[in-house]
Amino acid sequence: MDIHACTDRLAQLLEQRLDIRGAGFETKLRRAGRLLPRHLRRDGDRLVEAMRLAQHPRLGRQLDQVRLEKAANAIEHYLLNFDAWDRRRGIAVSVSTSILTNILIVIALGLCLALWRGLI
């Protein structure tokens, strides 16, 4: 497994699926932030560290290729199954729900105030 080819593929997926711009996998991973689950961010950090170690001839041979491949596959699987529209829909539902709740609270307080003042 070539670590640089793998991270280039993941960087391309981060740009396509999450619309994250940047120069290289490390920058895109940092910009992804909370868009990725914690365990995938940790796997991404492992891949970034492996990229650094792979540049050194002796340290590059000591990398755990199986673990790195599992980390890369987990991130790739998440990104390929990521549905941006579902995420946007969830955000829209959450925002509209909170706005409607606040409107109902204001209406209820207005009715209580009108009742208390004897206007109703």
Side-chain angles (χ1 to χ4, degrees), residues 62-113:
Q62 295 178 0
L63 295 174
D64 186 5
Q65 296 294 327
V66 174
R67 188 175 184 186
L68 293 175
E69 192 171 333
K70 283 183 183 179
N73 288 339
I75 295 172
E76 185 174 4
H77 182 264
Y78 177 80
L79 291 174
L80 288 175
N81 293 325
F82 183 78
D83 187 11
W85 283 107
D86 187 45
R87 183 174 151 266
R88 289 183 186 126
R89 192 175 327 128
I91 291 171
V93 166
S94 174
V95 168
S96 61
T97 303
S98 65
I99 290 172
L100 287 175
T101 303
N102 289 335
I103 289 172
L104 287 175
I105 290 172
V106 168
I107 290 172
L109 287 174
L111 287 174
C112 288
L113 182 65

Side-chain angles (χ1 to χ4, degrees), residues 1-115:
M1 175 180 113
D2 182 23
I3 190 73
H4 294 292
C6 184
T7 54
D8 288 342
R9 167 83 174 128
L10 291 176
Q12 182 183 17
L13 280 173
L14 281 169
E15 187 169 342
Q16 289 174 355
R17 296 295 184 150
L18 299 180
D19 198 30
I20 296 175
R21 307 276 187 243
F25 177 68
E26 185 175 4
T27 305
K28 290 179 184 181
L29 183 69
R30 189 179 69 244
R31 288 184 181 173
R34 289 190 169 186
L35 293 176
L36 292 175
R38 183 180 297 163
H39 69 281
L40 294 180
R41 284 181 294 194
R42 212 174 303 129
D43 288 346
D45 291 338
R46 281 191 200 116
L47 290 171
V48 169
E49 184 65 26
M51 281 176 30
R52 290 186 185 133
L53 292 176
Q55 294 175 352
H56 194 279
R58 289 187 182 172
L59 294 177
R61 287 183 271 158
Q62 295 178 0
L63 295 174
D64 186 5
Q65 296 294 327
V66 174
R67 188 175 184 186
L68 293 175
E69 192 171 333
K70 283 183 183 179
N73 288 339
I75 295 172
E76 185 174 4
H77 182 264
Y78 177 80
L79 291 174
L80 288 175
N81 293 325
F82 183 78
D83 187 11
W85 283 107
D86 187 45
R87 183 174 151 266
R88 289 183 186 126
R89 192 175 327 128
I91 291 171
V93 166
S94 174
V95 168
S96 61
T97 303
S98 65
I99 290 172
L100 287 175
T101 303
N102 289 335
I103 289 172
L104 287 175
I105 290 172
V106 168
I107 290 172
L109 287 174
L111 287 174
C112 288
L113 182 65
L115 250 156

